[in-house]
Amino acid sequence: FLLQLAALSTDNAAHADLQRAPELFEELWWLLRLVGHVVADDGRGETPMRPLQFDENNQTKIALRQIGELFIGTLCVQICENQSVKQFLSPRVVEQVVWCAARWADTHLFPEDSGGRVRNVLLQDNNLSITGAVQSPDPFEGEGGSYAAKILVGLATVAISFYDGETSLRKSASFRLLPSLTRRNAPCKAVANDPAWTTLLFSTGQAHENINGGFPSEIFCGLTESLTRAAIGIAEENDQRNAYLRYVLEPPSKVLLLAVESKKFIEHPTGESRTMGALEALRGVARASLSKQHEFSSNHFFEMLSPLTRVIENAISANSSLVISRAMKLSEILCEIFAMDEGNMQRQQRIREFTLSIVSIFAKSEPTKMTAATLTRLRDEEIKANYKCLKSLLRALTHLASAWNDDDKEKLASVVFSGLAVVIPLLTPEALLLPKLRNCYFSLLSYSMESFADIIVKNATRMSELVVDINGSAVGASDPSALFFMIISTLEFGLDNDDETVCRESLIALGALAAAELRKQKSGGGAATDSPLLMQTTQTVASFIVEGGSITADNEPRSALMVQLPLSPLGKCLRIVWKRLLFVDASGGEKNSAIVDEAADALLPLLQIENACFMSLGEETFEAAEKKGGRGVVVREALGQLTTARGLNAEVDRMNKRRFRRNLSEFVERVRGVVRSN
């Protein structure tokens, strides 16, 4: 097969059957696809390992080696070194070669570093020494692995630099093949000091300096992420590693400084393209820094926070939505990096100031509200960029909310509340139908309530005052409690949402709020004169009550009366959760059991705070069971077991949460079959 392909690609191919070229290309495409799936493992969620069937006998081992040697030593080498082959092969075929090479490298390249020892243990290989080293040599370990890694670096370089205009091929090389060579230590050590890798490093830097534009902007992110990860393969001397990282960081940083000096640079199409490439390159370095931080790159990013803020301002002035969205993506990752650095208080304070400036700039830019009419134009660059900026801002605030300490809790809360005050007015019910945007918001809501529930309960009546000085009169100028009710309204939306993740995050947020309110009441902070906002009546609802207890002296149930029950925000949330558990979701199955567990954690403090509301819900459930066939006695017994079984008491601690989870699961299972007819 390869000989026929070579005959077509030679310079002296006048007598070759050129009509067979399309057929050969298609055969090669499917062959590579088949090989990639059969002999390799994509490794998602676990250590990539080649299928165990290939190690069961010598014939399959030999066949596997021959496939690898033929693929790497023949096809990939020809693509790298033979100019005729590069010109002759279709870009789609080369893209399939790159894809197959990435899967193969993840599974077979340096197997001792990617599950090889685990594989030998599973097979009880007798060639395993006392120290755990594999005695039988693998052709892709040691020098053989280094040789293969260098060939694959050359393949990636050809795919990125030779095929101009083939963005899909370039993205496959930069986001699949190069990461497969830099995820583990052994391949990093093999490629970091190789001349081909150095050539790739220099080419990436020169692409930023090209005034006519280098690679497409999205390619830079994958390139610099892999280049940064490979730094662990350099000798431990800090000077060499810092010099390497400096060459990765300086070219895009210089371009970014040009965008800082004047908005005219961004207004020009070439300048806009170079700025986007620089932002994507820095984002790639930042993504690599999440798993392995280098002090040099962390210091560099710390110094780039102010210029990045200025770039966003200039991009807004230049009306460049593409630059704004990429700058916000970079800001999101920087917030994640520095939020994790809990030991450095200076960086913690600086990242709060940076996030606050981003929130303020975003608010002043008058972002488009995500209405139904707007969402129909989501393919428009401006609307699409606004949507991406909103997601990035939500994620940045989530990173801050998930990393806090008691010393700066209130300062951090003011930053998060400021972001919420800007974001929530943009989130219409239509916008929350978008899964990614919805998940981002409710993840932020969950972390915010868990981190700052005590502050919200204490300052609910003046929450908006915490953000007035930052965002002007946008929120809270006339109604200091406006922000609180905006948060509660989105919480109610999440509790009643069909999406499991959104509902679970909302239940976590509700549980945190209820637990904080219960702590406040037990400590004496919830007196009647205090009139806490969470407990104030905001509406009434028709419900049942039973006067003088539920049983008469003759052991006959008292008749329930229909009244207008006053309802607080927490009481309304309690009713939503109760109705959802009994009339919407079931406790059986993996999906719904997860919701029941989170609901139990939220209901445990809620039932103590809103006891009157709980009693009315019990009566409503009893009446529903009676109408379905006189099964109210089952509901009475289940309600008693819910609040007393397994030694349950009033403490909201870990042990009681576990008890109440089991009680609630059994309660829902028993009562749903009674109150529902289907």
Side-chain angles (χ1 to χ4, degrees):
F1 178 83
L2 289 175
L3 288 175
Q4 295 182 52
L5 190 65
L8 291 176
S9 60
T10 55
D11 294 330
N12 188 18
H15 303 289
D17 186 7
L18 296 178
Q19 293 182 351
R20 280 217 64 203
E23 181 183 348
L24 281 175
F25 284 160
E26 185 174 358
E27 290 178 1
L28 180 58
W29 193 95
W30 283 108
L31 177 64
L32 291 168
R33 196 75 180 174
L34 179 65
V35 169
H37 279 296
V38 172
V39 306
D41 178 16
D42 62 1
R44 294 182 181 178
E46 59 185 21
T47 302
M49 292 172 55
R50 65 177 178 241
L52 296 177
Q53 293 84 350
F54 284 101
D55 290 324
E56 290 179 350
N57 56 67
N58 289 330
Q59 290 183 347
T60 54
K61 287 183 180 180
I62 293 172
L64 184 64
R65 290 187 180 187
Q66 289 177 343
I67 290 174
E69 291 169 354
L70 186 65
F71 177 69
I72 298 295
T74 303
L75 184 58
C76 293
V77 169
Q78 287 294 316
I79 293 176
C80 294
E81 299 178 357
N82 193 323
Q83 191 72 13
S84 299
V85 172
K86 284 189 287 189
Q87 294 176 347
F88 182 73
L89 283 179
S90 162
R92 299 284 72 80
V93 173
V94 178
E95 182 178 351
Q96 201 61 238
V97 173
V98 169
W99 173 84
C100 185
R103 289 178 64 100
W104 180 89
D106 265 335
T107 308
H108 301 285
L109 187 62
F110 293 100
E112 77 279 7
D113 192 41
S114 64
R117 296 176 183 176
V118 178
R119 183 178 62 252
N120 281 288
V121 170
L122 290 174
L123 294 172
Q124 298 179 352
D125 197 334
N126 295 326
N127 294 320
L128 203 64
S129 69
I130 297 176
T131 59
V134 180
Q135 297 297 318
S136 57
D138 191 288
F140 302 110
E141 294 177 5
E143 294 183 0
S146 299
Y147 174 72
K150 294 173 184 178
I151 293 176
L152 294 180
V153 171
L155 175 64
T157 304
V158 169
I160 292 172
S161 59
F162 185 79
Y163 296 93
D164 292 335
E166 295 293 337
T167 303
S168 177
L169 172 57
R170 288 173 159 184
K171 289 179 71 173
S172 183
S174 58
F175 284 99
R176 291 191 65 92
L177 181 53
L178 289 178
S180 70
L181 300 175
T182 55
R183 287 194 187 101
R184 296 176 281 118
N185 291 340
C188 282
K189 292 177 181 178
V191 304
N193 299 298
D194 183 64
W197 191 260
T198 305
T199 302
L200 182 64
L201 175 65
F202 289 162
S203 300
T204 305
Q206 291 170 359
H208 288 291
E209 299 172 1
N210 188 350
I211 60 174
N212 295 321
F215 305 133
S217 60
E218 57 267 28
I219 305 300
F220 282 108
C221 182
L223 278 174
T224 54
E225 182 176 1
S226 298
L227 290 170
T228 305
R229 284 178 174 171
I232 63 174
I234 300 176
E236 289 297 329
E237 289 82 358
N238 288 332
D239 291 341
Q240 293 184 12
R241 188 171 294 177
N242 290 348
Y244 175 88
L245 291 172
R246 184 179 293 109
Y247 200 88
V248 176
L249 285 164
E250 278 190 354
S253 299
K254 290 179 180 179
V255 175
L256 209 62
L257 292 177
L258 294 175
V260 171
E261 293 176 0
S262 174
K263 69 174 184 178
K264 293 182 179 179
F265 182 81
I266 301 177
E267 290 175 345
H268 195 278
T270 302
E272 183 183 46
S273 177
R274 293 180 65 190
T275 304
M276 290 191 297
L279 290 169
E280 286 293 290
L282 291 174
R283 187 165 73 95
V285 179
R287 285 174 55 171
S289 300
L290 288 173
S291 57
K292 177 64 177 178
Q293 286 198 28
H294 302 285
E295 190 63 24
F296 179 84
S297 57
S298 297
N299 292 335
H300 184 86
F301 281 127
F302 188 73
E303 295 173 357
M304 291 297 296
L305 291 178
S306 295
L308 181 58
T309 305
R310 184 61 181 163
V311 167
I312 297 176
E313 292 177 341
N314 286 346
I316 292 174
S317 301
N319 197 26
S320 175
S321 57
L322 296 175
V323 173
I324 297 171
S325 62
R326 284 163 174 78
M328 291 295 290
K329 284 184 177 181
L330 176 58
S331 303
E332 169 205 334
I333 298 182
L334 294 184
C335 286
E336 185 176 2
I337 291 174
F338 291 117
M340 294 188 300
D341 193 2
E342 298 179 3
N344 194 322
M345 297 304 297
Q346 181 184 4
R347 288 182 178 177
Q348 288 276 310
Q349 181 179 355
R350 181 68 188 92
I351 199 63
R352 287 199 304 269
E353 296 172 354
F354 171 74
T355 308
L356 202 56
S357 65
I358 296 298
V359 170
S360 179
I361 293 171
F362 186 75
K364 293 176 181 177
S365 66
E366 298 180 356
T368 306
K369 191 172 183 178
M370 307 299 287
T371 61
T374 303
L375 295 176
T376 59
R377 298 187 292 117
L378 198 55
R379 291 185 179 273
D380 294 354
E381 286 296 337
E382 184 178 352
I383 304 300
K384 187 177 180 180
N386 187 76
Y387 165 71
K388 291 182 177 180
C389 289
L390 197 55
K391 286 195 304 180
S392 297
L393 182 58
L394 288 169
R395 288 171 178 160
L397 293 169
T398 302
H399 296 318
L400 288 184
S402 62
W404 56 272
N405 54 63
D406 293 332
D407 296 334
D408 59 355
K409 190 173 180 179
E410 292 192 2
K411 296 178 181 178
L412 192 57
S414 66
V415 176
V416 176
F417 293 159
S418 302
L420 288 172
V422 172
V423 167
I424 293 178
L426 304 176
L427 297 176
T428 60
E430 294 82 7
L432 290 176
L433 294 176
L434 300 173
K436 290 184 179 179
L437 188 62
R438 181 178 63 216
N439 291 340
C440 285
Y441 173 74
F442 283 99
S443 178
L444 170 60
L445 184 65
S446 173
Y447 277 112
S448 300
M449 296 302 104
E450 284 189 295
S451 301
F452 313 123
D454 292 317
I455 297 177
I456 294 174
V457 169
K458 180 181 178 181
N459 302 317
T461 56
R462 60 179 189 86
M463 274 184 64
S464 299
E465 296 177 2
L466 298 175
V467 300
V468 167
D469 295 336
I470 299 168
N471 297 326
S473 59
V475 174
S478 59
D479 185 5
S481 60
L483 177 58
F484 170 80
F485 285 112
M486 287 162 57
I487 293 175
I488 292 297
S489 65
T490 58
L491 178 61
E492 293 169 358
F493 175 90
L495 293 173
D496 204 25
N497 195 270
D498 293 334
D499 188 275
E500 176 203 348
T501 302
V502 170
C503 183
R504 186 167 58 246
E505 298 286 5
S506 302
L507 287 168
I508 293 173
L510 176 61
L513 271 179
E517 177 63 27
L518 184 61
R519 287 194 298 270
K520 180 183 176 184
Q521 292 185 8
K522 288 184 176 181
S523 64
T529 55
D530 188 28
S531 187
L533 199 59
L534 275 171
M535 303 302 298
Q536 285 184 4
T537 300
T538 56
Q539 66 181 83
T540 59
V541 63
S543 182
F544 293 98
I545 64 167
V546 178
E547 296 182 347
S550 59
I551 303 295
T552 65
D554 299 328
N555 291 329
E556 293 293 332
R558 291 185 182 274
S559 58
L561 302 177
M562 178 69 74
V563 297
Q564 289 295 320
L565 182 72
L567 209 59
S568 68
L570 285 181
K572 186 176 181 181
C573 291
L574 172 58
R575 293 184 65 86
I576 293 173
V577 175
W578 188 271
K579 298 289 186 181
R580 182 185 179 96
L581 287 175
L582 297 182
F583 296 98
V584 179
D585 280 321
S587 62
E590 181 180 351
K591 173 182 176 181
N592 294 326
S593 64
I595 295 178
V596 169
D597 287 345
E598 305 300 338
D601 293 345
L603 290 179
L604 182 57
L606 267 179
L607 298 187
Q608 300 181 53
I609 298 171
E610 290 286 349
N611 188 259
C613 183
F614 170 56
M615 297 297 292
S616 69
L617 284 170
E619 292 300 326
E620 289 181 31
T621 309
F622 173 81
E623 294 293 334
E626 285 292 306
K627 291 179 181 179
K628 295 295 183 182
R631 302 294 302 279
V633 63
V634 177
V635 174
R636 295 280 189 210
E637 293 175 358
L639 284 170
Q641 291 293 317
L642 175 65
T643 55
T644 59
R646 297 183 175 87
L648 188 70
N649 56 52
E651 295 298 324
V652 183
D653 54 20
R654 182 180 179 184
M655 185 60 68
N656 264 334
K657 284 183 178 181
R658 294 179 63 183
R659 293 168 180 161
F660 192 67
R661 283 186 177 190
R662 296 181 65 183
N663 290 358
L664 183 64
S665 180
E666 293 177 0
F667 171 80
V668 173
E669 185 176 356
R670 291 181 63 188
V671 174
R672 276 183 61 87
V674 173
V675 299
R676 286 179 60 109
S677 58
N678 58 343

